[in-house]
Amino acid sequence: MDAIERSLLEQVAELHEVPEGAYNIRANGKAAARNTTASIDIVSKTDKDGIDIIIRPGTKNQSVHIPVVLSQSGLQETVYNDFFIGDDCDITIVAGCGIHNCGVQNSEHSGIHSFFVGKNAKVRYVERHYGEGDGLGENIMNPTTVVEMGEGSYMEMETTQIKGVDSTVRTTRAKLGPNSTLIIKEKVMTHGKQLAKSDFTVDLDGEGCHTNVISRSVARDDSKQIFLARINGNAKCHGHSECDAIIMDRGVVVAIPEVTANCVDVELIHEAAIGKIAGEQLTKLMTLGLTEKEAEEQIVNGFLK
Amino acid sequence: MLELQNISYGVEQDGEDKNILRNINLTIGERFVAITGPNGGGKSTLAKVIAGILVPTEGKILLDGEDITGLGVTERAKKGISFAFQQPVRFKGLTVKDLITLASGKSIGVPEACDYLSEVGLCAKDYIDREVDASLSGGELKRIEIAMIMARGTKLSVFDEPEAGIDLWSFSNLIQVFEHLHEKINGSILIISHQERILNIADRIIVLADGRVQNDGARAQVLPQLLGNVPSVCSALTDKVR
C-alpha cells in the first residue's frame, strides 16, 4: 500500500496501521489485506464482487473494519458486502470509502451493504466518506444500506461525509422487527458544486420498535443537499426524523419528511430546521476574541462534531 | 480605565430619529460599577456600544487612553473587554468545555475548566461535555456565561442584566458569585442590573434614564436616593390595594 492509500485509509477508518480484529481492506478494486478471527469470518463472494461477513452468535466487544480506497483515476466499481450478525452479538463495524482522483476521469464506488441483525444483537456501524485529488475527474460515491433487524436488536448507524465527494446518493432501507431500535445519525458537509442526496426508508413492522433518523448538515458555496426521510409505521411503534441544516453562501438544502401511520397506535414525529448561522452566535464568539471567520468555523465544526 | 466621551446613539424609527443615548460622559476604573435605571433608558445599548456590537453615532471610547471607537467586536475583545449577554446564546454541538476553552484563549484541561465552573456553582463532571443547547436551563446558561468571563479574565468585564430570565432561587445563588467575582477577574466589572442586592455590592452606581446619566456616585450616596424615590403609582391601583 502506498502513501496516498495509507492517507485515505486514515481518513475513512482512522487506521494508522493494520487494525486489530477482523478486517478486509480493498484497494483499487482488489483485496489488499484480510484477517479473520475465531468468531468473525470473511468470505469472498463467487457470483459478484464483494464479501460475506459472518459473525457468530454471542460475539461481544469485537470490531470489523472494511475500508475501501481508490487512488486510480477512472476506476468504477460496485461492491456487495453482506453482514450476517448472529443473535446476542455486540460489535462495531467500521466501513468507509476514500477516493483520491488526480485524473480527468470520474472515480466511482458504489457499496451495497446488507445487514441481517440477529435477535437481541447490538451493532454500531460507522461509515465515513472522503474524497481528494486535484484532477478534473469527479469523486462519486453511491452507498446503499439495507438493514433487517431481528427481535430486540439495536443498531446505531453513523455516516459522515465531510469533504471532497462531488456526488453522492445515499440510499438506506430498513425493516424493523418487534422491539428493535434503529438510530441513524448522518453528518454531511458539501461545498463547491457538490450534490448529496440521502434517501431513507424505515419500515416499522414489529410491535414496540423504534427509529430515530437524525441529519445534521452544512451546505456551502453552490452545493445542494436533499434529505428524504420516509418512515412507515405499520405496528405500535415510535418514529422520529430530524433534519438540522446550516446553509452558507448560495448553498441549497431540501428536507422532505414523509411519515405514514398505517396503525392507530403509531407515534411519528418529524422536524426540520434550515437556516444560516445566527448572527448572535457569531457575535458571542467574537466577544471572546475570535474573528468572524474563526467563529464561523467553530460553529460549523461543533455542529458537525 | 474606560472613558466614554460624548457618546450618543440614535436610530431611525417610523421615519423619525430616535436618540437612545444622549451625550454620555463617563470614566470607569473602579472595581465594581453598576448601571441601573428604568427599562428603555439605554443601559443595554450602552453595554453594546462598549463591546463594539453597536457603533455610536457620535463620541469617542477610550480604553487605557487608546481610542478604540473604530475597533470592531473582535479587536475590542482582544484589547481586554468581555461582554456577558443578557440572553446567553445557545450552540448546537459546542460543549461547555469548548466555550470555556475559546474564552480562555488556550487549550485547557478538565482541572482548569473545573476551577471556573465550580466558581459559578456547577460541577464540572456534570457539565463539561454537555452541549450549550436548549437542554440547559436559563440559570445554567447564565452561570456558564459568567464562567466564560472568568476564564477570559480581562481588564473590563461588562454584564448585561445577569438576573434577567432566571428565577429568584437561581438568582439568589448568583449574587454570591458576583460578590467574589472581582477577586477572580482582577479587572473592572461593569454590571447592568435592577437588583438591589447587586447594587448593594457595587462601589459606584450610575443611573441611566432616557439616554442620559441621571445620577452617578458612590453606592452610599446613590442607593438611598434610589430606594427612597419610588415612582408614584396610578390612583386606580393604589385604591384597589387599600
Side-chain angles (χ1 to χ4, degrees):
Chain A
M1 204 172 282
D2 63 18
I4 291 175
E5 290 170 4
R6 270 201 298 275
S7 150
L8 289 173
L9 207 56
E10 202 175 312
Q11 288 288 343
V12 297
E14 287 179 356
L15 291 179
H16 304 280
E17 293 298 327
V18 172
E20 284 183 25
Y23 60 83
N24 188 83
I25 303 171
R26 184 182 170 94
N28 291 320
K30 295 187 194 85
R34 178 179 296 176
N35 188 47
T36 59
T37 68
S39 48
I40 302 174
D41 201 11
I42 299 175
V43 184
S44 296
K45 284 188 183 295
T46 48
D47 55 337
K48 53 193 171 189
D49 232 353
I51 48 176
D52 286 341
I53 298 101
I54 303 138
I55 303 165
R56 275 196 190 173
T59 304
K60 306 260 188 207
N61 303 319
Q62 289 206 29
S63 63
V64 186
H65 285 79
I66 55 153
V68 172
V69 291
L70 269 68
S71 57
Q72 281 175 10
S73 178
L75 200 68
Q76 298 185 1
E77 59 177 12
T78 302
V79 180
Y80 296 82
N81 296 331
D82 293 345
F83 298 80
F84 299 92
I85 301 148
D87 296 349
D88 304 308
C89 283
D90 186 347
I91 53 141
T92 299
I93 298 166
V94 181
C97 179
I99 301 182
H100 178 98
N101 189 352
C102 285
V104 292
Q105 291 174 294
N106 292 349
S107 295
E108 186 171 340
H109 173 82
S110 297
I112 295 150
H113 290 182
S114 299
F115 293 84
F116 303 94
V117 186
K119 281 182 187 173
N120 302 315
K122 195 174 171 195
V123 182
R124 181 165 172 255
Y125 174 54
V126 182
E127 190 182 271
R128 290 193 185 88
H129 283 171
Y130 172 76
E132 62 177 27
D134 44 16
L136 292 171
E138 294 195 338
N139 297 332
I140 302 168
M141 295 182 198
N142 294 319
T144 300
T145 310
V146 179
V147 183
E148 279 187 28
M149 299 191 61
E151 186 172 352
S153 62
Y154 176 93
M155 181 163 168
E156 199 172 297
M157 179 175 155
E158 291 172 28
T159 65
T160 309
Q161 178 183 312
I162 298 296
K163 219 178 158 196
V165 182
D166 295 295
S167 170
T168 185
V169 177
R170 173 187 300 283
T171 310
T172 304
R173 304 266 176 268
K175 284 184 178 296
L176 273 65
N179 297 316
S180 61
T181 299
L182 175 65
I183 311 288
I184 299 172
K185 295 178 184 170
E186 179 193 63
K187 289 175 194 171
V188 185
M189 183 159 82
T190 51
H191 49 98
K193 292 183 183 303
Q194 294 171 353
L195 169 74
K197 183 180 176 187
S198 299
D199 182 339
F200 295 97
T201 303
V202 182
D203 286 317
L204 299 169
D205 293 340
E207 190 156 315
C209 67
H210 165 69
T211 192
N212 198 357
V213 182
I214 304 160
S215 168
R216 274 197 183 177
S217 69
V218 177
R220 316 177 90 126
D221 304 328
D222 293 289
S223 64
K224 184 172 182 179
Q225 296 178 16
I226 301 164
F227 171 77
L228 208 158
R230 195 181 293 109
I231 300 177
N232 300 315
N234 302 323
K236 184 179 179 177
C237 61
H238 183 78
H240 179 254
S241 77
E242 181 184 320
C243 168
D244 217 336
I246 291 178
I247 43 171
M248 299 166 80
D249 312 310
R250 294 156 306 280
V252 174
V253 172
V254 184
I256 312 165
E258 184 184 317
V259 288
T260 306
N262 291 318
C263 165
V264 75
D265 292 322
V266 160
E267 280 179 35
L268 300 174
I269 298 166
H270 68 74
E271 297 176 72
I274 304 169
K276 62 180 181 184
I277 295 173
E280 58 174 14
Q281 290 183 329
L282 291 171
T283 307
K284 179 68 235 179
L285 296 190
M286 286 163 74
T287 65
L288 303 180
L290 276 71
T291 62
E292 190 171 344
K293 197 164 177 0
E294 287 166 345
E296 199 176 273
E297 273 172 27
Q298 286 291 338
I299 294 164
V300 167
N301 288 344
F303 186 72
L304 292 175
K305 194 166 54 188
Chain B
M1 178 84 77
L2 179 79
E3 287 174 72
L4 304 175
Q5 298 178 350
N6 305 313
I7 291 291
S8 292
Y9 180 76
V11 287
E12 201 186 295
Q13 204 173 47
D14 303 327
E16 282 180 28
D17 289 336
K18 192 179 172 204
N19 295 317
I20 296 170
L21 297 175
R22 303 157 194 255
N23 202 27
I24 305 274
N25 284 288
L26 288 169
T27 301
I28 293 161
E30 291 84 351
R31 206 179 52 164
F32 200 124
V33 178
I35 298 184
T36 193
N39 288 336
K43 302 185 297 300
S44 289
T45 303
L46 184 63
K48 285 177 184 160
V49 165
I50 293 169
I53 296 167
L54 297 176
V55 180
T57 31
E58 274 178 62
K60 265 189 185 180
I61 306 168
L62 281 78
L63 186 68
D64 290 340
E66 184 190 349
D67 188 346
I68 58 163
T69 322
L71 300 185
V73 179
T74 308
E75 288 84 2
R76 288 194 204 189
K78 285 183 174 161
K79 294 273 178 199
I81 296 178
S82 295
F83 180 58
F85 283 34
Q86 190 180 118
Q87 303 292 340
V89 183
R90 291 177 156 98
F91 294 90
K92 276 184 186 166
L94 287 180
T95 62
V96 172
K97 183 164 184 263
D98 290 337
L99 289 184
I100 291 179
T101 303
L102 289 174
S104 72
K106 57 183 191 289
S107 177
I108 58 164
V110 175
E112 281 165 290
C114 179
D115 271 354
Y116 298 123
L117 289 170
S118 58
E119 285 296 335
V120 295
L122 297 177
C123 174
K125 190 163 60 69
D126 297 338
Y127 284 91
I128 201 151
D129 292 324
R130 278 188 69 178
E131 288 188 16
V132 184
D133 59 10
S135 70
L136 293 171
S137 73
E140 289 169 326
L141 284 170
K142 288 272 166 157
R143 284 161 190 273
I144 291 160
E145 187 87 355
I146 297 167
M148 283 158 72
I149 303 285
M150 279 185 183
R152 276 180 61 69
T154 51
K155 58 179 94 161
L156 176 69
S157 302
V158 182
F159 293 84
D160 188 4
E161 283 196 44
E163 72 266 25
I166 59 169
D167 61 77
L168 211 59
W169 291 107
S170 303
F171 180 68
S172 170
N173 295 326
L174 266 188
I175 289 283
Q176 293 162 9
V177 174
F178 280 102
E179 280 170 351
H180 301 288
L181 198 61
H182 57 84
E183 295 161 18
K184 301 287 164 197
I185 288 186
N186 292 323
S188 290
I189 295 168
L190 180 65
I191 184 162
I192 291 169
S193 179
H194 292 119
Q195 282 285 333
E196 190 187 331
R197 290 179 64 185
I198 288 273
L199 302 182
N200 235 336
I201 53 172
D203 300 318
R204 173 181 166 197
I205 298 175
I206 298 163
V207 182
L208 200 67
D210 197 23
R212 292 190 174 89
V213 174
Q214 301 273 335
N215 201 349
D216 179 5
R219 177 187 70 221
Q221 177 201 336
V222 179
L223 193 57
Q225 293 174 29
L226 278 177
L227 298 175
N229 188 18
V230 179
S232 58
V233 210
C234 88
S235 59
L237 189 62
T238 46
D239 289 349
K240 282 262 166 67
V241 175
R242 279 184 200 121

